[in-house]
Amino acid sequence: MRLELAAFPVRDVRFGAMTRWRDGVLEIDPDEVLEPVRRDPLVERAELAVARPGESIRIVTIQDIIRWRPLARVERTGSPASP
């Protein structure tokens, strides 16, 4: 099988019963897309939203919502290669 890179112009995005592209409309099944994320026991909640150009919305990165654990500096003796 030969794989080819192709462009699929999208003029609209909407949620639907299946994930597919048809006639310039990208339909996304949110449950299908989020299922692998929700399977992770460390993920408490996951949501999917569509942001369109011109909408008043704030998009944050995942770092904005993850609680960071403090790190401690460990002093080692010996050569850099020693554990």
Side-chain angles (χ1 to χ4, degrees):
M1 175 190 333
R2 181 175 174 212
L3 299 177
E4 294 183 26
L5 183 62
F8 293 90
V10 175
R11 58 180 166 70
D12 192 21
V13 177
R14 63 177 69 135
F15 293 121
M18 63 175 42
T19 300
R20 65 183 176 180
W21 178 89
R22 185 174 55 182
D23 299 328
V25 177
L26 177 61
E27 292 183 27
I28 301 170
D29 177 355
D31 292 326
E32 177 187 1
V33 173
L34 291 172
E35 192 271 330
V37 176
R38 290 177 174 155
R39 246 191 345 236
D40 187 324
L42 299 176
V43 175
E44 184 176 309
R45 183 176 54 128
E47 297 174 356
L48 189 62
V50 174
R52 292 182 170 80
E55 288 184 340
S56 178
I57 190 164
R58 179 173 182 248
I59 299 175
V60 297
T61 62
I62 193 165
Q63 290 89 353
D64 289 338
I65 58 173
I66 292 179
R67 184 183 312 165
W68 294 100
R69 292 186 219 154
L71 300 175
R73 180 177 292 257
V74 176
E75 298 293 329
R76 295 198 297 180
T77 59
S79 70
S82 65

